[in-house]
Amino acid sequence: MSAEAISESGARNEFWDGVRLSMPVVVASAPFALLFGAIAVDNGFSVLEAFLMSALIFGGASQMVGIELFGQHVAPWLIVLSIFAVNFRHVLYSAGIGRRIAHWPVLQQALGYFILTDPQYAVAEARAASGQSVGFVWYLGLGLPVYVFWVAESALGAVFGKLIPDTHALGIDFLLPIYFLGLVLGFRKRPLWLPVVAASAAASIIAYRTVGSPWHVSIGAIAGVLLAVILPPHHSGVGKRP
């Protein structure tokens, strides 16, 4: 077998490994994509407009916030500010993932940032922490199915929105938080994990009760980051003899 064939086979395996890891996200996010499409149409969007919003913004929670505010005829600047508040965590994600993909060509980096989501960041960071490189082919396999299914399911929700049952009554809307909880627990062996998570959760809950949604998302993230900066770094080798 030639070196070129081996390289192609390795790239193919990397891609499908990423696809396999993306499937829990695809399943967990499906109810939200369908619900977004239905809500978009209920708020006056056409099926094409709902489809394009998912395809061009790919913002998940921020799309939900935008749709709800559009329906309430809120001032445009407040809609932009609210969406910024929801998506502010992606500034932190981009800063973190940037060091992992800095060796990619510029266009690949741009695509990588576009398909960056909460689970995409967590899984890529876990891979890097295990000593494996975050390659473009693997990263694309992880993110592309989530993007494609999100856009397609948004369109389906817009077309068949009236047939979609109440996800709250079925408990389907709890799938994604459970998945995120699993991702967070995957980092539990890292130094300062518990105090950072506790501070972030507490700040988010307090902000939700006082300031309200969607600001609690970014406030919780900022609280965790600030605590991680303030606390002294933990070194496992401190106090040990060489």
Side-chain angles (χ1 to χ4, degrees):
M1 184 179 291
S2 66
E4 183 178 350
I6 294 175
S7 177
E8 290 180 0
S9 176
R12 192 180 304 114
N13 291 337
E14 286 276 292
F15 179 81
W16 287 111
D17 183 47
V19 171
R20 178 180 59 81
L21 292 173
S22 75
M23 287 300 103
V25 187
V26 169
V27 174
S29 62
F32 295 90
L34 293 168
L35 186 61
F36 163 75
I39 292 176
V41 171
D42 284 344
N43 281 275
F45 279 53
S46 67
V47 174
L48 178 60
E49 288 169 339
F51 169 82
L52 288 176
M53 188 174 186
S54 283
L56 298 177
I57 296 178
F58 187 45
S62 63
Q63 290 180 223
M64 292 288 196
V65 171
I67 286 295
E68 292 291 346
L69 294 179
F70 285 140
Q72 297 173 20
H73 305 289
V74 177
W77 69 268
L78 186 57
I79 296 176
V80 173
L81 188 62
S82 298
I83 291 176
F84 175 80
V86 174
N87 278 342
F88 180 78
R89 69 191 188 281
H90 284 274
V91 175
L92 306 176
Y93 291 160
S94 298
I97 202 68
R99 56 185 174 153
R100 310 297 188 188
I101 65 175
H103 59 286
W104 296 0
V106 174
L107 290 180
Q108 290 185 0
Q109 288 189 45
L111 179 58
Y113 287 125
F114 176 73
I115 62 175
L116 180 62
T117 60
D118 303 75
Q120 182 91 4
Y121 169 76
V123 175
E125 185 65 23
R127 179 181 175 89
S130 69
Q132 297 177 279
S133 65
V134 179
F136 176 73
V137 173
W138 173 85
Y139 187 95
L140 190 64
L142 177 64
L144 191 60
V146 178
Y147 173 77
V148 171
F149 276 94
W150 175 266
V151 174
E153 288 160 355
S154 295
L156 288 174
V159 174
F160 302 106
K162 300 298 182 182
L163 302 178
I164 298 175
D166 183 5
T167 57
H168 293 282
L170 297 176
I172 299 176
D173 58 324
F174 203 61
L175 288 174
L176 205 55
I178 290 176
Y179 178 76
F180 285 147
L181 179 61
L183 291 177
V184 172
L185 288 174
F187 293 95
R188 63 188 180 278
K189 293 183 179 180
R190 287 195 170 189
L192 305 179
W193 176 83
L194 184 57
V196 168
V197 170
S200 182
S204 183
I205 292 171
I206 294 172
Y208 182 79
R209 295 291 186 181
T210 56
V211 182
S213 178
W215 296 97
H216 69 290
V217 178
S218 296
I219 291 174
I222 293 172
V225 171
L226 289 177
L227 184 65
V229 171
I230 294 171
L231 291 178
H234 174 78
H235 298 289
S236 59
V238 173
K240 295 182 179 181
R241 292 184 180 180

